[in-house]
Amino acid sequence: MLSDTTQSVRRVIAQHPAQRDDIGDLVTRRPLPGPGLDQLDPFLFLNHHGPQTYPANNRGLPFGPHPHRGFETVTFILEGSLAHADSASHQSVIHAGGVQWMTAGSGIVHAEISPPEFLRDGGPLEILQLWVNLPARLKMSEPRYVGLQEASIPAIALPGGGELNLIAGQWQESVGPIETLTGVFMSTLRLPAGANEQLPVVPGRQVFLYVVEGNVEVGGEPVQSHHLIEVDREGEHLNIEASSDARLLFGHGEVIDEPVCSHGPFVMTTREEIAQAVEDYQNGKFGGLDV
């Protein structure tokens, strides 16, 4: 195990288990928000759908057209496939290993559903969706969307035996394909049993670490799958050792430190802004979408 003698290793503050909250027949776990943790600024929300296997001739994902304003959604397709369409004329079908990054900004209507082939044939499905807040100055940014297949995401071998898939931000000489509005770093990790990694993090930034599967030790503390790991904001490294094959979501970002006022699919800073978002959506200012 890596030494903590330099006092630069981040320590675990708390472990937050994902709460089961199925959506129809879609297996769903949610570690954030959860008991004792409303947000992990700037990270607001994480849904973990699956893993499960759909039969042939299924109804697929239930996320038809719905609005958002004031934040970003990052969707990780671990297994299966996901069709995206939105009111800003973006369309894609992203397969296993791919990622979707959508900036809702000033307002967008989108749908996340299963493509026809999945409805017909079924198969395994596992998806993560993370909501990342935007500061007040960026909440009314122009909506945008990027969909990436697995081949477009750099896979970087780590010195301790693991692999980091770089989605946004910089890792040594590599730069992730997503250029974010707020400098968020985002990646997924695959760690074989016995891997031992020391991951650099700039002091002061908020770490987002979720164990998708497997058992690991973070800063020497045992951690189980389906747990969000809250660590302090001091120190320059995060130590992770895998006691079994493991997969994790690993990101970090600058703390926004502004009021968060949310109502369903809208995240703003005041109640008045929420009321305006509802009114604008009802008046068709987000645009329309037929799927």
Side-chain angles (χ1 to χ4, degrees):
M1 190 175 302
L2 293 171
S3 173
D4 193 3
T5 56
T6 63
Q7 302 292 311
S8 67
V9 177
R10 297 204 180 197
R11 63 181 181 85
V12 173
I13 297 174
Q15 301 186 33
H16 302 277
Q19 306 295 307
R20 188 74 177 263
D21 188 16
D22 292 357
I23 303 171
D25 60 358
L26 178 62
V27 173
T28 300
R29 297 176 176 87
R30 184 177 305 116
L32 184 71
L37 188 66
D38 291 331
Q39 63 168 316
L40 201 59
D41 185 5
F43 306 103
L44 300 169
F45 173 99
L46 179 68
N47 260 357
H48 182 177
H49 303 300
Q52 65 192 100
T53 300
Y54 277 71
N57 302 312
N58 64 82
R59 294 178 296 175
L61 293 168
F63 306 118
H66 57 282
H68 290 300
R69 172 180 278 181
F71 63 101
E72 301 182 287
T73 66
V74 188
T75 309
F76 308 80
I77 298 87
L78 304 182
E79 294 286 348
S81 56
L82 180 62
H84 169 97
D86 64 45
S87 56
S89 300
H90 303 115
Q91 289 191 343
S92 67
V93 176
I94 304 298
H95 302 287
V99 173
Q100 300 178 344
W101 196 297
M102 187 184 78
T103 302
S106 61
I108 198 168
V109 177
H110 77 147
E112 298 161 302
I113 59 177
S114 300
E117 295 80 4
F118 189 88
L119 299 178
R120 182 191 66 218
D121 301 334
L125 182 133
E126 186 172 13
I127 291 173
L128 306 174
Q129 185 171 91
L130 175 67
W131 291 11
V132 182
N133 200 14
L134 290 171
R137 64 183 177 83
L138 294 175
K139 284 188 175 295
M140 297 300 285
S141 299
E142 181 178 355
R144 64 179 190 174
Y145 168 83
V146 179
L148 298 173
Q149 305 292 0
E150 182 178 27
S152 299
I153 301 172
I156 300 170
L158 299 176
E163 180 181 88
L164 182 143
N165 294 285
L166 181 61
I167 297 159
Q170 186 167 355
W171 185 270
Q172 297 176 346
E173 302 302 317
S174 299
V175 177
I178 300 291
E179 184 176 349
T180 70
L181 293 178
T182 57
V184 168
F185 175 90
M186 190 58 58
S187 71
T188 58
L189 295 172
R190 284 187 178 274
L191 303 178
N196 193 339
E197 305 294 352
Q198 186 177 76
L199 309 176
V201 183
V202 174
R205 286 173 69 92
Q206 184 80 266
V207 166
F208 190 91
L209 185 68
Y210 176 68
V211 184
V212 178
E213 63 179 351
N215 297 308
V216 300
E217 290 187 4
V218 178
E221 181 169 329
V223 174
Q224 296 180 349
S225 63
H226 305 152
H227 280 65
L228 177 65
I229 311 307
E230 185 179 1
V231 302
D232 66 12
R233 298 208 299 265
E234 304 298 324
E236 300 176 345
H237 298 94
L238 188 67
N239 288 353
I240 305 178
E241 184 173 355
S243 48
S244 70
D245 290 352
R247 181 159 49 173
L248 302 93
L249 178 57
F250 169 55
H252 50 79
E254 294 288 346
V255 175
I256 296 173
D257 194 24
E258 293 177 351
V260 174
C261 186
S262 62
H263 178 74
F266 309 125
V267 181
M268 305 301 289
T269 57
T270 68
R271 284 289 171 194
E272 292 76 14
E273 290 172 333
I274 292 292
Q276 188 65 56
V278 172
E279 180 180 341
D280 288 349
Y281 170 61
Q282 292 174 342
N283 289 335
K285 294 185 178 180
F286 289 18
L289 179 64
D290 294 321
V291 295

